[in-house]
Amino acid sequence: MAGFAIAIRLRSKQFLGWVTMLAGVLLAVAVAALMVRLEYAPLPAIGDLANPERNPIEQAYDVLGRVVTRAEADALLRSPEGQRQLSRESGAISIDDRLLALGREAFYRETFGNEVFLTDVLGLLDGAVTPWAFTKAIVGLAGRGTSDLKIRLAKTITIGDHTYEAGTEIGTGLDVPRGGLFPLGIKMVYDRGHVRAGITCAVCHSSVDPYTGKVVEGAPNADLNVGLLLAFASNSAAYFTHTGLPKGLQPFRTDSTRVVTSSTGVKEALPDPDALERAVDVQLAAWPRGNFDSSIDLVNNPTQIPDSFTAHGHPYGWSGFAMIGPFRGLSVLNNNVHALNSDATGVAAAAPALFGLDPEVYLGAVLQNAPARGFRFDPTRDEKPTVVLAKADPNAGRPGLNEVVALPSYPNASYIASDGLLLAISGFPVWEHVNAMSAFQNTLRPPPSWSPSPEGLAAGRVIFERAGCANCHTGPALTNNRVLPLTEVGTEPTRARALAATEQTLVPPILYPPSVSVPPSRDAPIITIPIDAETRAQAQLAWAHQGTDGGYKVKGLVGLAWTAPYLHDGGVAVGPDVERHLGIPGTSKQGIAPHARNSLRALVDRTIRSRVINANRASARLQAAHVTGDGHPFWVDAAAGFSSEQQEALINYLLAIQEPVR
């Protein structure tokens, strides 16, 4: 018996040893998990693309928007003066395989840190949508891929007069390639025990072909349900500047006990967080699928997500506001996405001019309901919102939360950066990733859709010219690269005036040259971007400055088969059934994809268009979002003297445009 007892004691000690060791291992793993950072965003293989073909690279350098061909570069590099012109100090960017590879990588994987704002401040993962909901949805695909990932809501949420019950399946519009494990353009970051989600350019500007499951690089994600996803966030009020609320937010500042000390030392009332959240949710949920409001003009005017088939398509943005600087303004557009749209905290210094709010009041409104405790502003504590933000900011010393550098002119606006901020990652030249994405996008061409016979193509081109389309839609990308006055285009007017308020703080455009690395030194050189008289007049029109009502650019026509619906508001939408699938209410609101051929027919046929416009106008939500499908009154129909066969020939021609015209 004594021996048996000794054996038991030995085994007990051995067991306790194993338990102790296991506990130590688990503790070590837990400690390591709290110290490690992991991140993932999908990058499709070339073999998984529907459009692997590229536009030929004819440009050797970009010098502040000036195209330098290879032949011209060879000549310039033979002299010291030419070498100076093509130096980084002069603003020259060499376009080579390294830059294009960096651009593609950044297009799919670079968030510039926006996962912090989207998760810790906006609460994208703390509302009705959770990481577990995404995980279950993707597992349920079993590798099939989808152009519209459907998830079940984790909690019940009421938006306006509609209640979404927990467990309700909603379409996100997120694209998962065939065999993929994650949505395009979504980056998940595990950072010392905290899970965050960020977005890259690919979430909006790449899509999955529902028929092949392959990725279409550069095609707009026409069913991305971004407005509803934002409305489901726990603190969507942080995005209030993208919706139609009164300047100063006075109707919401009703509680005299919720105050903040302004930058001048005066106590000012904060907006009621619940009332502000409800108002913002209603307006965000009104955005049609595939639309996003990238302006901060306190007007709810989302526009269709544009394509990235950008070669020869300058100026950029629906109003053409991005027209100067590297890559003929494309870098200005790419910069705007993350330097302005994915972090609401960066514009706090400009809040008085733009929103009629003191910077402290503005940040208080943005941070008062933040899900992350470190970012949440508590008006009962004696600490200003700017101090709260500075303590939690992972990029201390920079405005906002994203990875940016401030120009010396910050927070003033200029035609190179509407908020004075440049996306920039430490250790790289300023704007390196932005310029790389511009170079990459200019190589993209849409996949073949269909090809009419040479005779049919020629017949369509004849109608294109006879109808006067070629008066504006000319050049390699079938655009004359002009901004037209609002009165001439005739489309819904509010978005054309979205940048008008920036004139109050407008300064001459300056830029750090690509020879400057991040962070720039105090004495880093600055380049002033030259603007001739004609370009200045066009910029003033695009930005609704100098008393103009604004305008819209002449859209390039490459890739129309992949970019339905049409016009800047995406209102010209018709589904497969021309009689029933009319406008946004008859297409995306019903989960029906707009049909490119039928939508183009509505664009040029006034009878069908009037029915589309009437369908849109019958929706109060679309009216609140300024989506009509109105304007661009250039017709190829019976009333204009064209037969149905001629109209069909024109549409065939338009759908066949797959690359820049040589």
Side-chain angles (χ1 to χ4, degrees), residues 108-368:
Y108 281 101
R109 288 181 164 167
E110 187 54 66
T111 65
F112 298 96
N114 63 49
E115 60 271 8
V116 176
F117 173 79
L118 295 177
T119 306
D120 293 39
V121 177
L122 185 71
L124 198 62
L125 301 180
D126 286 273
V129 176
T130 63
W132 178 235
F134 276 111
T135 301
K136 288 193 293 185
I138 293 172
V139 170
L141 291 175
R144 293 187 303 273
T146 181
S147 60
D148 184 13
L149 181 67
K150 292 181 170 57
I151 64 172
R152 296 192 180 277
L153 300 182
K155 62 180 69 173
T156 298
I157 185 170
T158 297
I159 298 176
D161 57 1
H162 187 87
T163 296
Y164 299 83
E165 298 290 344
T168 300
E169 187 178 75
I170 62 115
T172 66
L174 293 170
D175 287 27
V176 181
R178 183 180 58 194
L181 300 175
F182 221 71
L184 293 172
I186 298 294
K187 183 176 184 177
M188 296 303 297
V189 178
Y190 176 86
D191 189 8
R192 294 177 289 275
H194 194 89
V195 176
R196 295 185 174 101
I199 59 170
T200 74
C201 294
V203 75
C204 289
H205 305 286
S206 63
S207 64
V208 167
D209 182 352
Y211 300 105
T212 66
K214 291 195 170 187
V215 176
V216 186
E217 289 190 329
N221 190 344
D223 62 353
L224 182 62
N225 213 349
V226 62
L228 193 60
L229 289 173
L230 288 170
F232 285 153
S234 63
N235 184 31
S236 55
Y239 223 60
F240 78 87
T241 61
H242 297 261
T243 61
L245 299 182
K247 198 170 185 178
L249 299 180
Q250 290 304 329
F252 301 94
R253 298 164 73 175
T254 56
D255 187 349
S256 59
T257 65
R258 291 184 61 84
V259 297
V260 62
T261 303
S262 74
S263 56
T264 60
V266 177
K267 296 290 186 182
E268 292 196 41
L270 285 167
D272 178 271
D274 295 331
L276 184 61
E277 184 80 11
R278 289 192 296 269
V280 170
D281 283 349
V282 168
Q283 298 210 27
L284 291 174
W287 294 2
R289 281 176 173 248
N291 277 37
F292 175 74
D293 190 340
S294 63
S295 62
I296 52 172
D297 58 345
L298 294 173
V299 177
N300 198 22
N301 48 19
T303 61
Q304 184 190 11
I305 294 170
D307 63 80
S308 289
F309 307 130
T310 53
H312 308 287
H314 57 284
Y316 300 99
W318 287 103
S319 70
F321 79 97
M323 67 172 59
I324 69 166
F327 298 92
R328 295 182 171 179
L330 184 53
S331 291
V332 173
L333 181 70
N334 287 335
N335 185 76
N336 193 70
V337 173
H338 297 296
L340 177 68
N341 298 147
S342 65
D343 175 19
T345 66
V347 296
L354 297 178
F355 319 126
L357 293 170
D358 179 86
E360 298 290 353
V361 178
Y362 171 75
L363 278 179
V366 169
L367 299 176
Q368 63 182 337

Side-chain angles (χ1 to χ4, degrees), residues 607-625:
T607 300
I608 303 175
R609 179 85 78 84
S610 66
R611 296 171 60 204
V612 167
I613 292 170
N614 289 338
N616 290 333
R617 286 179 176 168
S619 168
R621 295 179 72 178
L622 289 179
Q623 294 310 294

Side-chain angles (χ1 to χ4, degrees), residues 43-54 104 214-215 217 440:
L43 177 66
I46 298 300
D48 293 331
L49 301 181
N51 55 334
E53 296 82 9
R54 296 289 186 253
R104 186 170 189 264
K214 291 195 170 187
V215 176
E217 289 190 329
F440 163 69

Side-chain angles (χ1 to χ4, degrees), residues 98-108 433 436-438 440:
R98 181 205 64 84
L99 189 72
L100 296 175
L102 178 65
R104 186 170 189 264
E105 175 85 14
F107 183 83
Y108 281 101
H433 292 74
M437 285 191 289
S438 296
F440 163 69

